Amino acid sequence: MKLAVVGGGSTYTPELIDGFARLRDTLPVTELVLIDPATDRLELIGGLARRIFARQGHPARVTTTADLDAGVDGAEAVLLQLRIGGQAARLQDETWPLECGCIGQETTGAGGLAKALRTVPVVLDIAERVRRASPDAWIIDFTNPVGIVTRALLQAGHKAVGLCNVAIGFQRKFAALLDLAPGDIHLDHVGLNHLTWELGVRRGGPDGEDLLPRLLAAHGEAIAADLRLPRAVLDRLGVVPSYYLRYFYAHDEVVRELGTKPSRAAEVAAMERELLALYGDPALDEKPALLAKRGGAFYSEAAVDLAASLLAGGGPAVQVVNTYNNGTLPFLPDDAVVEVQARVDASGPRPLAVPRLDPLHSGLISHVTAYEDLALDAALRGGRERVFKALLAHPLVGQFDLAEGLTDRLLAHNKEHLAWA
């Protein structure tokens, strides 16, 4: 089985490699191709990948290339983990929205729109080349904003599934708090990518006992602290929001915080420099502890499980993915992309039924879906007016003057990445 990773020069990649090595019985990879135009980084990470496989006795061959077409040729699955413009573009996404008093973040708000505009055309070009080289390959997208990118891929007719690590992170955290194995925890995870709530925490499966009330009663303070929300918010909601909901529930507080500390992009850039120095050590043959601070926790396990369900013939498995709505949330169009539990096999994901949503949640989901419609239109067709309308529709913007100022800044900071600008 040949797998390809586009963006294989990412500092995330050793996390993925470690997952492939540890879970080789789940996913019998024989060849892993790391693809990246940044050949200096790619060779460092390729060398570490080979050492990790050798240490753990994995027989797969690891190759590296800057040639996308050759790298994906014959692949059964292609994983996308791209950052167009690198950490420099992320730093801009986190900075210029603050000038207008708005959240500066790489997947939410105006910064998230900028990332979508840069990313969607590149991903679609890659996907077309994958289709020519390996027409039956699955595309597993971990590239943010995952919901918008996955929708672009699906609308273009690609065999694509979006993946995020938020749900698996909650599953692991809740299992530890409840002293259960992760596999014993099923989440009623509902929403859009980076806009989700855990409506239930069930023992054993979708029809199991709901442990969420017990979890909140016993561990609400710890969960609230992780989310950086007051415990009273969780008690009043009665559910667990993802940490991205803090940008909506405490917008002004977060904006004040972001104006008083170094950006996450600056922190990650410094961390990446340190990680790359570690990766270059020929004695290193395991992922370093520092990588846990980089983000993407449990991404490798989620990716391996998803690829195994799609490819390895092990039967259907239930996993949180991003895929077409197709009636799962009846208040959304069928071609919206939702993030929910789905049964996954070689034919792709089929969302499970979800609990009825409170208007408090469904209203925000509908609002953000409308923004995503306009964001994808802007990413596909370009034009200042489309960018403006997407920003005006976003619930974290929603004012004419704000949308005008943010549009001007977005275009000024992203001209090199937008052919039409």
Side-chain angles (χ1 to χ4, degrees):
M1 178 186 296
K2 176 180 176 179
L3 300 186
V5 180
V6 180
S10 167
T11 53
Y12 273 134
T13 300
E15 171 71 30
L16 189 61
I17 299 298
D18 179 72
F20 286 137
R22 287 186 296 102
L23 302 171
R24 59 181 176 272
D25 293 336
T26 304
L27 188 66
V29 179
T30 56
E31 182 181 1
L32 182 64
V33 185
L34 306 180
I35 305 166
D36 205 297
T39 53
D40 51 343
R41 292 168 60 119
L42 188 60
E43 289 312 309
L44 282 178
I45 291 166
L48 175 56
R50 295 183 191 100
R51 296 192 298 272
I52 291 173
F53 271 17
R55 174 181 174 139
Q56 300 198 31
H58 197 298
R61 181 166 64 105
V62 177
T63 60
T64 59
T65 182
D67 185 336
L68 175 70
D69 300 295
V72 301
D73 187 29
E76 295 184 49
V78 178
L79 284 73
L80 305 182
Q81 50 176 43
L82 313 176
R83 185 181 295 281
I84 307 304
Q87 293 298 331
R90 177 179 182 172
L91 179 61
Q92 295 295 333
D93 293 344
E94 294 179 354
T95 303
W96 54 263
L98 294 174
E99 297 170 4
C100 297
C102 293
I103 289 289
Q105 212 277 331
E106 64 160 343
T107 64
T108 299
L113 176 60
K115 194 172 196 299
L117 297 178
R118 294 192 303 267
T119 303
V120 165
V122 175
V123 166
L124 289 178
D125 176 67
I126 291 169
E128 286 299 327
R129 293 162 71 178
V130 170
R131 180 150 53 189
R132 290 196 296 268
S134 300
D136 293 326
W138 280 99
I139 295 175
I140 298 174
D141 178 57
F142 193 65
T143 296
N144 281 320
V146 166
I148 294 173
V149 172
T150 301
R151 189 169 180 182
L153 288 165
L154 291 172
Q155 287 186 352
H158 298 289
K159 291 174 61 178
V161 185
L163 184 64
C164 181
N165 68 319
V166 168
I168 194 171
F170 274 135
Q171 182 200 44
R172 298 303 197 265
K173 185 183 300 293
F174 295 163
L177 291 173
L178 294 166
D179 197 25
L180 295 171
D184 291 335
I185 294 294
H186 174 93
L187 301 177
D188 291 336
H189 179 98
V190 182
L192 311 177
N193 179 242
H194 290 185
L195 193 85
T196 52
W197 296 262
E198 310 307 327
L199 305 184
V201 177
R202 301 188 180 276
R203 186 200 299 267
D207 299 320
E209 176 192 4
D210 186 6
L211 304 177
L212 180 57
R214 183 192 312 176
L215 182 71
L216 288 175
H219 304 287
E221 289 289 350
I223 295 170
D226 282 346
L227 299 173
R228 301 187 64 202
L229 289 170
R231 164 70 185 271
V233 171
L234 298 192
D235 291 339
R236 295 175 74 178
L237 292 176
V239 300
V240 179
S242 84
Y243 45 85
Y244 287 93
L245 265 298
R246 185 169 184 259
Y247 298 124
F248 294 82
Y249 293 160
H251 175 276
D252 294 352
E253 178 184 347
V254 175
V255 168
R256 289 191 293 270
E257 288 176 3
L258 293 174
T260 61
K261 66 179 185 178
S263 71
R264 175 63 178 165
E267 293 175 354
V268 170
M271 201 178 304
E272 286 197 334
R273 290 190 291 271
E274 190 174 348
L275 283 169
L276 289 169
L278 292 172
Y279 295 168
D281 180 357
L284 183 67
D285 58 4
E286 60 184 345
K287 64 177 184 179
L290 178 62
L291 187 55
K293 299 180 181 179
R294 170 66 180 83
F298 307 113
Y299 157 47
S300 64
E301 295 177 42
V304 169
D305 287 346
L306 179 55
S309 297
L310 293 169
L311 303 174
V318 173
Q319 186 168 1
V320 172
V321 297
N322 285 259
T323 190
Y324 270 150
N325 178 46
N326 283 337
T328 308
L329 300 181
F331 53 88
L332 294 184
D334 284 348
D335 67 349
V337 165
V338 294
E339 185 172 293
V340 294
Q341 292 275 11
R343 197 169 300 280
V344 184
D345 59 21
S347 65
R350 297 181 301 282
L352 303 182
V354 302
R356 187 176 184 276
L357 269 71
D358 187 288
L360 181 65
H361 314 315
S362 62
L364 185 54
I365 290 171
S366 297
H367 196 161
V368 174
T369 297
Y371 151 75
E372 290 189 349
D373 289 346
L374 295 167
L376 181 54
D377 186 46
L380 294 173
R381 297 202 289 162
R384 185 187 189 282
E385 191 65 10
R386 293 187 181 94
V387 174
F388 167 78
K389 287 180 178 177
L391 286 167
L392 187 62
H394 200 292
L396 296 183
V397 181
Q399 298 179 62
F400 185 89
D401 288 342
L402 266 183
E404 286 282 16
L406 289 166
T407 300
D408 289 341
R409 287 167 173 80
L410 186 156
L411 296 178
H413 287 287
N414 287 276
K415 281 187 176 180
E416 66 180 294
H417 299 293
L418 306 177
W420 51 267

